[in-house]
Amino acid sequence: MNLLAIETSCDETAAAVIAETGDPAKPWLLKSNVVASQDAIHREWGGVVPELASRQHLRDVCGVVDRALDQASVGWSDIGAVAVTQGPGLLGSLLVGVSFAKSIAWSRGIPLVPVHHLAGHIESLVLEHGELALPSAVLVVSGGHTSLYFIREPGRYELIGRTRDDAAGEAYDKVARLLGLGYPGGPIIDRLAREGNDRAYAFPVSRMTHADRNQPRATAPPGLLPPTLARRVDFSFSGLKTAVMRVVQTRAAKPDAGVADTAAPRASNLAPGDVADIAASFQRVVVEALLDRTFEAAGWLGARSVGIAGGVSANSRLRADAAARGAKAGLPVFVPRLSLSTDNAAMIGAAGLRRLRAGVTADWDLNAEASLAL
Ligand code: KG4
Ligand code: ZN
């Protein structure tokens, strides 16, 4: 059976065709994966403009779906189900995909499967590598989310840690903006950091400790992790962003500026070496924070594998350091190939087939949901 998947939750219009293999260990085959990126449109604004994103989805969706069918060498009569991202994401963007998928399912008389965007990121690992050795600790790290899941059975995702403020990808994008680099910031900082000294700046990493005054409740369900560890596996990146801002302001201030010169220091005053050092030092702290928590939780929970998915899993240092830690801990570490790391519809197809086989389909009143629990 072939399934057509559509993803329009943010600024990528994507469609893919996924087939079932009949092999329980490697259940799905990627037949095509087409992504129309809107980066060039949003770059001008330094971030995604929701109204522009939904309008561009409308322009692109027909052509992207046609190309996905073409590249898979299938026609409409070969498609047995349609999966679509229901949420979370930008409402106007999600609505384009949901309406389009509904129309196809209704006119072809085939099932419609609603998919959670993060389930898609998690199942990208299974699409690529086959079923993970369970239990598994899977980190989803993207522009909108930084969430750690514990998976004991296929298709059931228990949230055990999440960011309290900014997502890691958001921190990359904001720091890139502070440094006067482009959008999206992740790939640019990744590249630049290779030329910098990652110990040049000692940026702090926030930890949720028992010394916190308004002690936050842990994200993990009670009893799964010991209380101190349960709080420690939550993430926080907004303080790091502020620390980078302070360094940029100090380094970019002209030493000979008089009292009257009150213009804000600009990133363009930084020497290129400084920018690379800041990028490398920032990246080291982010990667350490992500991997410390993931491996600590994985070890405690007796995980048999570790997965890392989502746009930030494309990061070269995160990949290299995760592999090194996995080797040291004797834990296999899985990441998706680059084209399955950032937003795509193939992962939605994988999660869609999982749900379809679990008996989940949507009615015609399916609505897009900007916030949706997994
Ligand atoms: O999963 P994704 O494509 O979209 C969301 O669901 O948010 O993730 C996009 C995020 C952006 O913040 C982008 O800067 C980040 O992933 N990203 C990276 C890299 N490539 C993309 N971050 C760090 N290093 C990269 N190589
Ligand atoms: Zn995503």
Side-chain angles (χ1 to χ4, degrees), residues 178-197:
L178 282 173
L179 293 174
L181 308 169
Y183 169 86
I188 305 174
I189 290 187
D190 189 355
R191 218 176 313 119
L192 210 62
R194 289 183 206 140
E195 295 148 30
N197 170 7

Side-chain angles (χ1 to χ4, degrees), residues 117 121 142-144 169-170 172-173 184-187 190 310-312 314-315 341-343:
H117 184 78
H121 276 303
S142 70
E170 191 180 353
Y172 266 96
D173 295 337
D190 189 355
V312 182
N315 186 267
S341 292
T342 46
D343 284 351

Side-chain angles (χ1 to χ4, degrees), residues 86 91 95 98 102 363-369:
Q86 184 191 5
L91 193 59
L95 274 170
V98 167
K102 244 192 237 184
D363 291 327
W364 300 127
D365 61 356
L366 175 74
N367 207 352
E369 304 284 349

Side-chain angles (χ1 to χ4, degrees), residues 21-38:
T21 62
D23 173 2
K26 197 158 192 315
W28 311 306
L29 176 72
L30 173 60
K31 286 195 154 179
S32 67
N33 188 21
V34 177
V35 179
S37 166
Q38 302 179 5

